[in-house]
């Protein structure tokens, strides 16, 4: 007598795509002629973590599991259905794990600032309205001098930058990039106008001669007087020689 195994019908369901750290529900239903079958089931992902609530189909012929991954990639989940008297059924599911998006909100303590003031910039990093801790921050500053900065966000998703003007630029440009494993990178930028110093302060940046106009005038006057005296003495010397020559002529 030849005994052939019975056939099982396996229906597997999973979302085609999820985001990192998001839980994906996996459902596998085992039936025969539309009747639920209880049986053993093994699930194995190629990447990520999977939590199987029960490794056997229940009285409704269902096996449910939760999948989650912290890395973006295309994940394949393999399943194997076995039951005595039935042919083994193998198959797989594919889930595309996409990175969660990051966003940065920049704020400053002033919309414009004086050339000698200190500017504080705050970067708030979040993902889908949730603050992100330990995100790496890369700052790029043009026209300013960095006094202090944080390279990672704190538990509140905040990073800070303190700077001042370089003394020459009329605008300070600020760019920051946020990155973290499992997330897509984010870029934010802003620029702050630098107001020129008042005259009484800006004069301190002038040269010695610019800051001391009286001394400059005195030096210039001294030079002019000196030149005049030299010319006068030369003329006087010439006149004396001429008089000596005239006296000598009279004596002769």
């Amino acid at each position: 007598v030849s005994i052939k195994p019975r056939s099982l019908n396996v229906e597997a369901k999973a979302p085609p795509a999820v985001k990192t750290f998001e839980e994906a529900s996996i459902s596998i239903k085992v039936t025969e002629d539309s009747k639920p079958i209880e049986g053993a089931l093994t699930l194995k992902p190629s990447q990520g973590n999977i939590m199987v609530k029960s490794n056997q189909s229940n009285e409704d012929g269902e096996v449910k599991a939760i999948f989650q991954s912290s890395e973006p990639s295309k994940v394949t989940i393999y399943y194997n259905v076995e039951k005595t008297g039935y042919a083994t059924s193998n198959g797989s599911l594919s889930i595309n794990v996409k990175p969660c998006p990051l966003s940065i909100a920049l704020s400053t303590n002033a919309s414009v600032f004086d050339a000698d003031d200190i500017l504080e910039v705050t970067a708030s990093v979040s993902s889908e309205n949730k603050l992100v801790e330990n995100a790496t921050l890369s700052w790029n500053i043009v026209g300013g001098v960095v006094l202090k900065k944080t390279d990672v966000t704190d538990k509140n998703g905040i990073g800070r930058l303190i700077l001042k003007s370089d003394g020459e630029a009329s605008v300070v440009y600020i760019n920051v990039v946020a990155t973290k494993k499992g997330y897509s990178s984010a870029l934010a930028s802003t620029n702050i106008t630098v107001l020129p110093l008042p005259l009484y302060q800006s004069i301190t940046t002038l040269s010695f001669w610019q800051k001391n106009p009286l001394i400059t005038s005195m030096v210039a006057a001294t030079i002019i007087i000196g030149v005049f005296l030299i010319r006068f003495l030369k003329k006087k010397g010439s006149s004396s020689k001429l008089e000596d020559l005239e006296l000598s002529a009279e004596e002769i």
Side-chain angles (χ1 to χ4, degrees), residues 5-62:
R6 303 170 70 92
S7 297
L8 289 175
N9 181 49
V10 180
E11 183 182 3
K13 292 181 179 180
V18 295
K19 296 177 181 177
T20 49
F21 312 107
E22 181 182 357
E23 292 186 348
S25 297
I26 300 173
S27 175
I28 298 178
K29 188 169 184 177
V30 183
T31 60
E32 180 190 16
D33 297 332
S34 300
K35 296 179 181 180
I37 299 295
E38 294 185 28
L41 178 70
T42 301
L43 290 171
K44 183 181 180 181
S46 61
Q47 187 176 0
N49 299 315
I50 192 166
M51 296 173 286
V52 182
K53 296 181 179 180
S54 174
N55 64 351
Q56 290 187 351
S57 54
N58 57 22
E59 59 183 6
D60 295 323
E62 292 183 342

Side-chain angles (χ1 to χ4, degrees), residues 73-94:
S73 64
K74 188 173 183 179
V75 177
T76 302
I77 299 174
Y78 301 94
Y79 58 84
N80 180 42
V81 180
E82 293 181 347
K83 185 176 176 63
T84 303
Y86 293 86
T88 301
S89 178
N90 299 314
S92 63
L93 292 168
S94 293

Side-chain angles (χ1 to χ4, degrees), residues 199 201-212:
L199 180 61
Q201 288 180 299
S202 61
I203 196 171
T204 59
T205 64
L206 301 177
S207 67
F208 173 82
W209 303 108
Q210 290 173 312
K211 290 187 290 183
N212 298 276

Side-chain angles (χ1 to χ4, degrees), residues 228-243:
F228 176 78
L229 288 174
I230 292 171
R231 290 182 178 179
F232 175 77
L233 291 174
K234 284 183 178 180
K235 288 181 179 181
K236 187 175 181 180
S238 299
S239 299
S240 297
K241 289 182 180 180
L242 182 59
E243 290 177 357

